[in-house]
Amino acid sequence: MQNEHKNRRLLHLFLILLSAFGIISSVILLGVSYIQSSRQDKPPVYKNAISNKRVLFISSYSNTHDTVNAQLSGMQKIFSKNNVYLDVEYMDMKNYNSAENTRLFYETMKYKLTHHEKYGAIILGDDAALDFALEYQTELFYKTPLIFLGINNLDKARHAAENPFITGSTEDFEFDKILDIATKQNPVGKFIVGIYDTSISGLGDEEQFFALQQRYPQYTFVGMKTSDYSRTGLGEAIAKLAKDNIVLCMSAFEDKDGNSYTISEIAQLFYAYANIPVYTKLYGTVGKGFLGGYLYDYEEAGVSSALIAVQVLNGKDISTIPLNENIPSHFYFDYSLMNHYQLDTSILPADTIFVNRQPSYWTRYATVLIPFIIIVLSLFLLLTFVIFYAHQLKITRYTDLLTRLPNRDAAQAEVSRLIREKKDFSLLMLDVEDLKSINDFYSYTCGDFILKELAQRLVSIGGDDDYLVARYGGDEFVVIWKNNHLHKNSTVLFLLKQLIVAPFEYKDNQIFVRISIGVANYDEKEDANIETYFSNADTAMIEAKRAGKNKTIFFTNEMRESIQTKQEITKILENACNKEDGFYVLYQPQVDITTGEIYGYEALCRLKTVKIFPGQFIPVAEESGLITKIGRIMTEQVVKQLVEWRKKGFPLRKVSINYSAAQMADKEYVTYLKTLLDKNAIEPSLIEIEITESLFMGNKKLATELANDFRSIGINLALDDFGTGYSSLSYLTYIPVKTIKLDKMLVDAYLQEGKESFIKSIINLVHSLNMKLIVEGVEQKWQYEMLKKLGGNVIQGYYFSKPIPAKDIENFSPESAL
């Protein structure tokens, strides 16, 4: 009986171990599957994605072109996750590059677009499609968002992106990068031969190619146009290329006889005739005849254009989406041809992608090794289960309960490890600017939703090995980008900004947030600790907030000096506030365009004893809170000056006083102003308060109440810096202002021949709202005369006068400038 019980216990133990083995093996197999799938690119998914929306893709070529299929693959990665339907039209300009083909395509598109509901956005693939859309934009694509990709003429791309309904991405092949490799691999080379055709893209290749001559002065650059050769002649010409030739094939889709070649046919032609290695920029040809190249990622370009389209379909204004000039490229090389020409692979970048390379030992024996490893790991996991469980308990200590991200302790531990191991990294500190307003206006539940949704967006940027995302506390997040440094043009930062600016959907509300980002890069030469790097990132983030929010600032050593300077300025301002004459006022005249008479003045604050410009001390005053004291001092001096002018019998004109968003902290300012005016018997109509749209960005409700308080005591408001913010036009619909001040930046950009219609449109808009327009920054007589012709109201600028003391105002006459 005892032996029977013993046998049963052994059987039970065996069954338990067998079950555990089966469960663990299944878990490991699932884990392997998950790891493999997680290594695949996962496109961003917008949880607020629209449905039943259509996008049209117009390709310059046909679906036989490898680059077109790569572009489509990238688009579908995004559209399939966001319920967007994609229609495709092909111009087929590689095979039929003629005016007749363009005309026929125009007729086809005209018919289809006339009998089809309007597309939410149109993506334009390569030069011919963009040229077609630009030519027929008004007729066929009126006010339709247009997104281009694959444009290798940077000037054309940048010019097109100036159109408010057009944006996209460029196709920069960076021929210098492949030529740097080619010249090292071919030390006997004397000539650099560029092969291209006469297509639109070919001409762009020619321009980029010969632009590199100055970079390689020791080589002679030679152009070889395939359109100058017959099929046979082209093959013979390729065969004659000598060993002292470094050959780069950029485009060869047509010959003298009008024959068109596919990418595969081009590769086969060179494979058959070339006796020397030939480099390329043609997608899909490495491994089929060409040695290698630095190849543009057409699939990533498709992803980028689709991301823009999804944003537009979700309501984002396409004119606010910048041109993307940072689509990545990758080195591809044919491993077998490298061996054939006895070329050294060690000079190639570490991330080079090889084709025609024999599989590794692991790949050949994976079917045997994986089960063996599973068995070993299963036994190991059985032995370490208790240790693993204890480790899990430890992990909870480093996890944020709301977002399930690593917390502050985890982020600090990771930075400490990277410093200890002397590994490069970039530390990003992100601050959600609008969270308090969201909590107040909607609810704390909404604020928590924003934080969790933002956390999910942040973790979708790359693989776990590339970076760590943590919630640092409150409305702050930390991103630790590992293995290398970020710079201002990094694709990671571009994608990060694209994910952040997309609206958040909460209970039928679209909520936009603004995030300031500070970046600190690890420097092995500096003897810095964890606190230093977090402090540096935080300092850069504060600078980003000062720069206008939604900005990214990289930490520099000068910022430490800047902090010290700001502390010194703060002390100067405190001393000035405690003196009766610490500040004085200058007045800049505003002149009526029609009558040439003085309309009013803008009061400008200056420090009396220290020469510090307003652009330096005003931001410090706003940050330190001293702006509330300075605002009252300025107001009192302006009212006193009006009283003095009245005593002298000097005609009184309206005086504008600048009001900062930071002055909202002075809850009694309106009461103070009314009391001051009543005490000195000054009409409220003689005071105008200048505000900027930033006043309404922080808390629209409180700012609107403040504006109404000003209006209730008879004070009119003027909207300053019009045209420099994010949504000046939308603010006009509810900000109770009487005057609009057009910023000097717009005057410099658009008050000129050929662009003046933009200024005219603003003037008409302001007049239609029964408002006055004051144009700032007018410095030349011709500007004054043009504004007068366009129907402007009032001018302010150095043409009439710089800001001057009150005593000089009494002797000022606009007629001297006229």
Side-chain angles (χ1 to χ4, degrees):
M1 180 69 69
Q2 186 176 2
N3 289 334
E4 183 179 349
H5 284 302
K6 183 177 180 181
N7 290 336
R8 286 180 180 176
R9 286 197 299 271
L10 290 173
L11 177 62
H12 289 163
L13 179 60
F14 174 78
L15 291 174
I16 290 171
L17 290 173
L18 183 62
S19 299
F21 173 79
I23 293 171
I24 294 172
S25 299
S26 300
V27 169
I28 293 173
L29 286 171
L30 288 172
V32 171
S33 174
Y34 173 78
I35 291 171
Q36 291 175 343
S37 64
S38 67
R39 287 176 179 172
Q40 299 174 354
D41 293 335
K42 292 185 178 181
V45 178
Y46 295 92
K47 292 187 177 179
N48 59 330
I50 37 67
S51 59
N52 299 323
K53 291 288 185 179
R54 285 192 177 275
V55 172
L56 173 63
F57 174 46
I58 299 178
S59 172
S60 298
Y61 311 128
S62 69
N63 59 355
T64 61
H65 210 276
D66 289 350
T67 62
V68 175
N69 293 322
Q71 291 169 346
L72 284 169
S73 175
M75 294 177 204
Q76 291 293 9
K77 275 188 176 181
I78 303 302
F79 290 153
S80 62
K81 299 292 184 180
N82 290 277
N83 300 322
V84 177
Y85 297 93
L86 181 67
D87 294 333
V88 185
E89 295 288 345
Y90 300 103
M91 297 182 70
D92 202 8
M93 295 300 286
K94 285 295 183 188
N95 293 317
Y96 306 100
N97 186 8
S98 66
E100 178 65 11
N101 181 35
T102 303
R103 185 190 65 79
L104 291 173
F105 186 75
Y106 160 75
E107 295 293 343
T108 301
M109 290 305 303
K110 181 178 181 181
Y111 176 82
K112 289 185 177 181
L113 293 175
T114 303
H115 295 81
H116 191 285
E117 64 177 342
K118 186 175 181 180
Y119 286 100
I122 296 178
I123 299 176
L124 309 168
D126 298 283
D127 294 80
L130 175 59
D131 292 343
F132 179 83
L134 289 173
E135 182 174 357
Y136 297 106
Q137 182 179 13
T138 303
E139 181 180 355
L140 300 182
F141 313 113
Y142 183 66
K143 289 190 176 180
T144 300
L146 303 176
I147 306 160
F148 61 78
L149 71 159
I151 306 302
N152 62 354
N153 186 318
L154 297 182
D155 290 336
K156 177 195 286 188
R158 290 166 181 166
H159 179 70
E162 293 176 358
N163 187 304
F165 292 98
I166 301 178
T167 191
S169 61
T170 59
E171 183 182 67
D172 187 358
F173 291 108
E174 300 182 87
F175 294 145
D176 56 325
K177 291 192 175 181
I178 187 59
L179 288 180
D180 286 344
I181 297 291
T183 52
K184 291 178 182 177
Q185 290 181 332
N186 300 272
V188 300
K190 297 179 181 178
F191 301 90
I192 297 180
V193 180
I195 300 177
Y196 46 86
D197 56 30
T198 55
S199 64
I200 297 175
S201 58
L203 295 176
D205 292 336
E206 179 185 16
E207 181 180 346
Q208 287 194 46
F209 174 71
F210 281 105
L212 292 172
Q213 290 185 93
Q214 293 182 346
R215 182 180 174 91
Y216 305 94
Q218 67 272 38
Y219 295 94
T220 301
F221 275 62
V222 179
M224 179 176 168
K225 294 183 180 179
T226 59
S227 52
D228 292 340
Y229 299 87
S230 64
R231 183 188 295 268
T232 303
L234 182 58
E236 294 173 351
I238 294 171
K240 291 179 181 178
L241 293 170
K243 290 185 177 181
D244 60 355
N245 290 169
I246 298 172
V247 183
L248 173 61
C249 180
M250 297 170 286
S251 52
F253 295 101
E254 58 189 23
D255 61 22
K256 182 173 68 174
D257 299 326
N259 295 314
S260 297
Y261 299 89
T262 65
I263 286 180
S264 296
E265 289 172 338
I266 296 170
Q268 291 170 6
L269 183 67
F270 278 85
Y271 182 76
Y273 288 97
N275 298 311
I276 60 174
V278 179
Y279 302 87
T280 185
K281 65 98 175 178
L282 296 176
Y283 183 84
T285 58
V286 176
K288 299 178 181 179
F290 290 106
L291 175 69
Y294 190 61
L295 306 186
Y296 178 77
D297 194 333
Y298 288 92
E299 184 171 327
E300 183 61 28
V303 168
S304 176
S305 62
L307 284 172
I308 294 173
V310 169
Q311 292 180 61
V312 170
L313 294 175
N314 275 299
K316 186 173 180 63
D317 186 351
I318 191 171
S319 66
T320 66
I321 302 177
L323 175 67
N324 182 4
E325 298 184 16
N326 298 293
I327 300 298
S329 297
H330 308 283
F331 281 103
Y332 287 81
F333 274 83
D334 186 329
Y335 195 82
S336 63
L337 278 181
M338 291 282 290
N339 289 333
H340 174 75
Y341 288 113
Q342 298 181 345
L343 298 175
D344 185 6
T345 60
S346 65
I347 67 173
L348 299 178
D351 59 351
T352 298
I353 300 170
F354 289 102
V355 297
N356 293 335
R357 189 174 191 175
Q358 291 298 321
S360 64
Y361 178 86
W362 169 258
T363 305
R364 289 200 302 271
Y365 298 104
T367 55
V368 176
L369 291 174
I370 289 178
F372 174 76
I373 293 173
I374 288 175
I375 293 173
V376 173
L377 287 177
S378 298
L379 295 174
F380 176 77
L381 287 173
L382 282 172
L383 294 174
T384 59
F385 176 75
V386 175
I387 299 174
F388 175 77
Y389 180 73
H391 180 64
Q392 288 298 108
L393 293 177
K394 184 179 179 181
I395 287 177
T396 59
R397 175 190 165 193
Y398 293 101
T399 303
D400 177 64
L401 296 179
L402 175 66
T403 63
R404 309 309 299 171
L405 291 176
N407 59 16
R408 177 194 293 254
D409 291 340
Q412 292 178 339
E414 181 65 9
V415 170
S416 176
R417 181 188 69 82
L418 293 170
I419 294 174
R420 186 170 60 253
E421 297 177 3
K422 296 184 177 180
K423 292 185 176 180
D424 286 339
F425 67 89
S426 290
L427 178 62
L428 289 74
M429 186 80 73
L430 292 77
D431 182 80
V432 184
E433 301 289 351
D434 308 295
L435 188 62
K436 184 179 184 305
S437 299
I438 291 171
N439 287 336
D440 293 342
F441 188 77
Y442 295 99
S443 66
Y444 280 89
T445 302
C446 177
D448 289 345
F449 168 80
I450 296 293
L451 291 174
K452 289 188 287 186
E453 177 69 14
L454 179 59
Q456 292 302 311
R457 293 186 185 184
L458 291 175
V459 299
S460 69
I461 301 173
D464 293 339
D465 294 336
D466 297 326
Y467 73 114
L468 175 84
V469 178
R471 186 183 179 200
Y472 201 62
D475 56 1
E476 293 181 347
F477 290 83
V478 163
V479 176
I480 304 169
W481 192 262
K482 297 181 261 187
N483 303 323
N484 54 49
H485 289 165
L486 297 178
H487 52 83
K488 65 178 181 179
N489 293 322
S490 293
T491 301
V492 173
L493 290 178
F494 178 80
L495 292 175
L496 182 65
K497 291 176 182 177
Q498 293 299 308
L499 290 174
I500 290 172
V501 300
F504 295 82
E505 287 284 347
Y506 179 77
K507 292 184 178 180
D508 299 326
N509 293 303
Q510 279 198 340
I511 302 173
F512 293 86
V513 300
R514 293 171 297 165
I515 293 182
S516 298
I517 304 175
V519 186
N521 285 329
Y522 169 71
D523 187 349
E524 185 178 349
K525 297 177 182 178
E526 287 191 2
D527 184 19
N529 54 26
I530 308 172
E531 290 76 16
T532 299
Y533 284 106
F534 278 94
S535 175
N536 291 349
D538 186 67
T539 298
M541 181 190 71
I542 293 172
E543 289 296 318
K545 294 171 71 172
R546 291 196 190 102
K549 303 179 181 179
N550 261 352
K551 303 287 186 182
T552 300
I553 299 293
F554 283 75
F555 176 82
T556 62
N557 290 326
E558 289 75 14
M559 288 183 184
R560 291 195 186 98
E561 299 174 5
S562 175
I563 293 173
Q564 182 178 356
T565 300
K566 288 170 184 174
Q567 291 173 345
E568 293 173 356
I569 293 175
T570 300
K571 291 180 181 178
I572 292 171
L573 292 176
E574 289 174 346
N575 291 334
C577 287
N578 293 327
K579 295 179 181 178
E580 291 187 4
D581 60 347
F583 298 92
Y584 68 95
V585 181
L586 294 180
Y587 297 86
Q588 187 170 31
Q590 299 166 336
V591 179
D592 188 298
I593 294 178
T594 304
T595 64
E597 297 179 352
I598 296 175
Y599 171 79
Y601 312 99
E602 180 179 359
L604 300 166
C605 181
R606 299 291 187 268
L607 274 167
K608 190 167 186 179
T609 58
V610 183
K611 290 185 178 180
I612 302 177
F613 294 110
Q616 294 175 287
F617 73 76
I618 292 296
V620 177
E622 292 175 335
E623 183 182 343
S624 64
L626 291 171
I627 192 68
T628 58
K629 291 184 179 180
I630 296 172
R632 291 201 177 199
I633 292 171
M634 279 285 295
T635 303
E636 183 178 4
Q637 289 194 23
V638 168
V639 172
K640 285 182 177 180
Q641 186 60 54
L642 288 171
V643 171
E644 183 178 343
W645 279 337
R646 183 175 60 193
K647 289 179 180 178
K648 294 180 177 180
F650 185 73
L652 299 185
R653 307 290 186 187
K654 183 181 296 185
V655 179
S656 298
I657 301 174
N658 288 286
Y659 184 88
S660 165
Q663 287 179 256
M664 291 181 67
D666 187 354
K667 303 295 184 182
E668 301 300 322
Y669 178 78
V670 177
T671 303
Y672 167 79
L673 176 59
K674 184 179 187 308
T675 302
L676 193 62
L677 294 175
D678 291 344
K679 178 181 177 181
N680 293 279
I682 296 296
E683 290 293 327
S685 60
L686 290 173
I687 297 294
E688 184 174 64
I689 297 295
E690 287 193 15
I691 61 173
T692 63
E693 64 182 56
S694 61
L695 184 75
F696 290 81
M697 287 182 176
N699 192 316
K700 175 182 173 183
K701 182 180 178 182
L702 290 178
T704 303
E705 290 176 356
L706 176 67
N708 290 331
D709 288 342
F710 276 121
R711 189 165 57 177
S712 69
I713 66 171
I715 300 295
N716 288 329
L717 300 181
L719 182 61
D720 197 11
D721 298 337
F722 180 77
T724 61
Y726 293 99
S727 50
S728 295
L729 291 176
S730 64
Y731 281 107
L732 294 183
T733 60
Y734 64 84
I735 298 178
V737 298
K738 295 293 185 181
T739 305
I740 301 296
K741 299 193 73 175
L742 190 63
D743 190 76
K744 183 180 186 299
M745 181 182 71
L746 287 182
V747 174
D748 293 340
Y750 294 100
L751 190 61
Q752 51 184 286
E753 291 294 336
K755 293 185 178 181
E756 70 275 10
S757 59
F758 181 77
I759 302 294
K760 178 63 176 176
S761 298
I762 292 178
I763 292 173
N764 291 339
L765 171 66
V766 172
H767 288 173
S768 69
L769 296 173
N770 294 321
M771 300 177 183
K772 277 190 175 295
L773 181 70
I774 297 178
V775 183
E776 296 184 294
V778 177
E779 300 176 350
Q780 305 293 331
K781 183 176 182 179
W782 65 267
Q783 292 177 314
Y784 162 76
E785 292 174 346
M786 183 175 287
L787 286 167
K788 186 174 183 179
K789 181 180 178 181
L790 294 175
N793 299 122
V794 180
I795 281 179
Q796 179 180 338
Y798 276 47
Y799 174 62
F800 282 108
S801 174
K802 64 181 181 180
I804 55 179
K807 60 182 179 62
D808 294 337
I809 285 290
E810 298 169 13
N811 300 316
F812 171 75
S813 173
E815 295 178 358
S816 60
L818 297 173

